């Protein structure tokens, strides 16, 4: 048996009594007698490492001994020491192992540093309960939609801890999150789009038509090179994006998702805007870091369509200084970003009768579900269409005749 009594020696002497029979003497007290916990369980964990644990009561030691051997045999063993590391310590290990790209890495790091670690960071990860997370969700100083993103990081973190057998179960169960206001997207009008373009510096005006006419994300538009625009076939090949992270100059990176790498149609207004742009501001070769292959980053010459006044890649910080005045001059609310042009493009397709799949492919969303979640309110005729289909199929209601 692997349960040892540390207060008494397991070896017992014997004597021969007057009747000639051998009798066992009482156990001999050890040097530890009366000090510390009495019962010790020795076992070998799933890595083959010898371990032990002390208990005050023998029944507790016996139950643990039986349970730990079962867990090791079934591959369910969890080292109690792993659960004693803090949430902050485990989060550092977890974040370092994620395949987050630059901007996402910054967002995750900032979210933990500002909103998660100050509240949950010092709690041992094995002692975090759903009540801790519910309290965090109630008091976190974030917009509801942003709080849900932060909570998704916690779900991922604790899910990894379960898979790594750091903890037995995830505490992310039964947590109620703040309700998200389902406010619609701000969709600029065609006049507002033209006004934005008119109020931007001339070298940036065609960017507006790329966003509104093709639905490209801002980084995708800034990452366009001359070779990506096929005027003959009237196509734009979206293969990369220009991105920025703290402390770095802009660099070329992979697009957001696999489906973001796509070919989009080039409508005439956008083609005309790009043709004018190339006449007035010809594409120039720019030395820019290229991290399309993270294992082999390099610096190369890129023939970017859009550059700043110094013929350098456009930085998002300097871009806002030109965009915001132009957006306000067009009558858009403060802090309306380039993404509103993408919303315009999406709703234009939807209202013209495009299917969910068509819109998903044009926008480069990862799944149709993402498109539906983003723009479900823009298919206003679907309910009426369903009603019409049922009415045409079933016809008018008639009172059933009684069966004899």
């Amino acid at each position: 048996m692997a349960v040892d009594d540390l207060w008494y020696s397991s070896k017992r002497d014997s004597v021969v009594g007057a009747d000639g029979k051998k009798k066992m003497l009482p156990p001999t007290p050890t040097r530890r007698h009366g000090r510390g916990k009495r019962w010790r369980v020795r076992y070998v964990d799933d890595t083959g490492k010898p371990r032990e644990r002390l208990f005050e009561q023998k029944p507790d030691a016996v139950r643990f001994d039986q349970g730990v051997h079962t867990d090791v045999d079934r591959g369910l063993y969890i080292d109690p020491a792993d659960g004693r590391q803090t949430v902050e310590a485990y989060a550092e290990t977890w974040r370092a192992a994620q395949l987050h790209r630059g901007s996402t890495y910054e967002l995750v790091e900032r979210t933990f540093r500002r909103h998660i670690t100050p509240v949950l960071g010092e709690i041992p990860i094995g002692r975090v309960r759903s009540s801790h997370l519910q309290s965090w969700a109630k008091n976190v100083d974030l917009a509801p939609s942003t709080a849900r993103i932060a909570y998704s990081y916690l779900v991922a973190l604790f899910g990894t801890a379960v898979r790594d057998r750091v903890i037995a179960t995830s505490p992310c169960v039964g947590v109620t999150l703040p309700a998200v206001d389902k406010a619609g997207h701000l969709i600029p009008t065609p006049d507002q789009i033209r006004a934005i373009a008119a109020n931007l510096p001339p070298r940036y005006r065609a960017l507006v038509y790329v966003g509104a006419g093709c639905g490209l994300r801002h980084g995708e538009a800034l990452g366009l090179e001359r070779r990506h625009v096929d005027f003959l076939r009237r196509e734009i090949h979206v293969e990369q994006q220009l991105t920025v992270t703290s402390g770095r100059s802009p660099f070329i990176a992979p697009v957001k998702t696999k489906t973001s790498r796509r070919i989009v149609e080039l409508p005439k207004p956008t083609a005309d805007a790009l043709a004018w742009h190339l006449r007035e501001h010809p594409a120039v070769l720019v030395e820019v870091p290229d991290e399309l292959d993270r294992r082999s980053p390099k610096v190369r010459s890129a023939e970017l369509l859009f550059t700043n006044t110094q013929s350098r890649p456009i930085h998002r910080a300097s871009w806002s200084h030109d965009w915001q005045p132009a957006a306000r001059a067009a009558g858009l609310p403060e802090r309306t970003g380039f993404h509103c042009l993408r919303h315009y493009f999406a709703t234009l397709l939807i209202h013209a009768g495009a299917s969910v799949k068509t819109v998903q492919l044009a926008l480069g969303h990862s799944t149709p579900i993402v498109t539906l979640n983003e723009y479900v309110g823009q298919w206003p005729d679907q309910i009426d269409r369903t009603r019409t289909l049922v009415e045409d199929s079933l016809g008018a209601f008639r009172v059933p005749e009684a069966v004899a």
Side-chain angles (χ1 to χ4, degrees):
M1 185 176 181
V3 178
D4 304 321
D5 187 346
L6 299 180
W7 285 8
Y8 290 94
S9 173
S10 59
K11 297 179 180 180
R12 297 176 63 180
D13 296 329
S14 62
V15 296
V16 178
D19 56 1
K21 295 182 179 180
K22 183 184 294 186
K23 295 183 179 180
M24 302 299 298
L25 296 175
T28 304
T30 65
R31 294 180 179 179
R32 295 185 55 167
H33 184 269
R35 294 185 292 110
K37 295 180 180 179
R38 178 175 178 177
W39 303 97
R40 178 179 65 188
V41 176
R42 291 177 295 165
Y43 62 98
V44 177
D45 67 14
D46 54 351
T47 66
K49 182 178 180 180
R51 294 184 177 274
E52 65 177 43
R53 187 170 174 182
L54 304 181
F55 295 86
E56 294 182 353
Q57 302 294 327
K58 185 175 181 179
D60 296 335
V62 171
R63 281 194 296 269
F64 178 82
D65 178 60
Q66 295 171 344
V68 75
H69 282 89
T70 300
D71 289 344
V72 171
D73 291 341
R74 294 181 177 179
L76 301 175
Y77 172 75
I78 295 175
D79 186 353
D82 289 341
R84 290 195 288 270
Q85 62 182 305
T86 64
V87 171
E88 180 179 11
Y90 187 78
E92 289 295 319
T93 303
W94 175 80
R95 287 195 302 105
Q98 302 309 299
L99 299 178
H100 294 148
R101 293 174 180 169
S103 57
T104 303
Y105 178 87
E106 282 191 336
L107 175 60
V108 174
E109 187 278 331
R110 185 169 59 249
T111 301
F112 271 90
R113 174 166 44 84
R114 294 181 178 178
H115 304 290
I116 296 176
T117 300
V119 180
L120 304 172
E122 295 185 0
I123 304 175
I125 192 168
R127 295 190 176 183
V128 177
R129 301 292 181 262
S130 298
S131 57
H132 292 118
L133 301 184
Q134 186 62 69
S135 177
W136 172 85
K138 179 180 179 180
N139 297 293
V140 66
D141 186 20
L142 289 170
S145 58
T146 310
R148 287 174 177 265
I149 294 174
Y151 181 72
S152 72
Y153 302 151
L154 287 170
V155 172
L157 180 144
F158 285 108
T160 301
V162 171
R163 292 190 293 274
D164 284 347
R165 285 185 284 177
V166 173
I167 55 177
T169 59
S170 171
C172 300
V173 178
V175 178
T176 303
L177 300 176
V180 178
D181 183 11
K182 294 294 184 180
H185 297 298
L186 188 149
I187 312 298
T189 66
D191 287 342
Q192 287 176 319
I193 291 173
R194 288 188 285 268
I196 294 172
N199 284 281
L200 279 171
R203 67 186 310 109
Y204 298 149
R205 288 174 182 169
L207 267 170
V208 176
Y209 288 88
V210 172
C214 301
L216 269 63
R217 300 176 177 93
H218 192 220
E220 294 171 346
L222 296 183
L224 287 176
E225 297 185 52
R226 178 63 186 83
R227 62 187 173 87
H228 294 140
V229 181
D230 188 334
F231 286 99
L232 183 61
R233 292 184 174 85
R234 296 181 63 180
E235 296 174 343
I236 291 181
H237 295 247
V238 182
E239 300 176 352
Q240 62 191 33
Q241 65 174 330
L242 190 73
T243 189
V244 179
T245 58
S246 295
R248 292 193 57 184
S249 57
F251 61 94
I252 291 174
V255 288
K256 186 175 182 180
T257 65
K258 291 181 179 179
T259 49
S260 295
R261 186 182 176 92
R262 64 200 187 278
I263 299 175
V264 299
E265 297 180 12
L266 179 60
K268 190 174 186 303
T270 304
D272 291 344
L274 285 173
W276 172 86
H277 173 79
L278 288 171
R279 287 195 303 270
E280 298 296 322
H281 309 281
V284 296
L285 289 174
V286 178
E287 292 296 309
V288 59
D290 183 333
E291 296 187 7
L292 289 175
D293 184 354
R294 292 185 178 181
R295 296 168 296 182
S296 181
K298 59 186 177 182
V299 176
R300 67 173 177 88
S301 296
E303 196 176 10
L304 295 177
L305 288 184
F306 299 101
T307 56
N308 61 22
T309 54
Q310 287 78 41
S311 296
R312 299 295 304 162
I314 299 171
H315 196 288
R316 64 187 179 195
S318 60
W319 163 258
S320 65
H321 294 306
D322 293 307
W323 168 268
Q324 289 300 331
R328 288 197 295 271
L332 296 177
E334 190 174 353
R335 302 185 70 179
T336 300
F338 185 90
H339 212 73
C340 73
L341 303 177
R342 184 169 161 88
H343 293 324
Y344 168 83
F345 174 76
T347 54
L348 191 66
L349 296 184
I350 293 168
H351 293 166
S355 68
V356 175
K357 189 65 177 179
T358 299
V359 179
Q360 176 220 340
L361 295 176
L363 294 176
H365 283 159
S366 56
T367 67
I369 294 175
V370 174
T371 307
L372 274 173
N373 288 341
E374 190 79 8
Y375 297 108
V376 65
Q378 297 298 327
W379 273 276
D381 61 334
Q382 295 305 307
I383 295 177
D384 290 337
R385 186 175 299 175
T386 301
R387 294 193 189 105
T388 302
L389 289 172
V390 174
E391 290 168 2
D392 291 345
S393 176
L394 293 179
F397 171 73
R398 297 179 182 178
V399 177
E401 297 179 358
V403 178

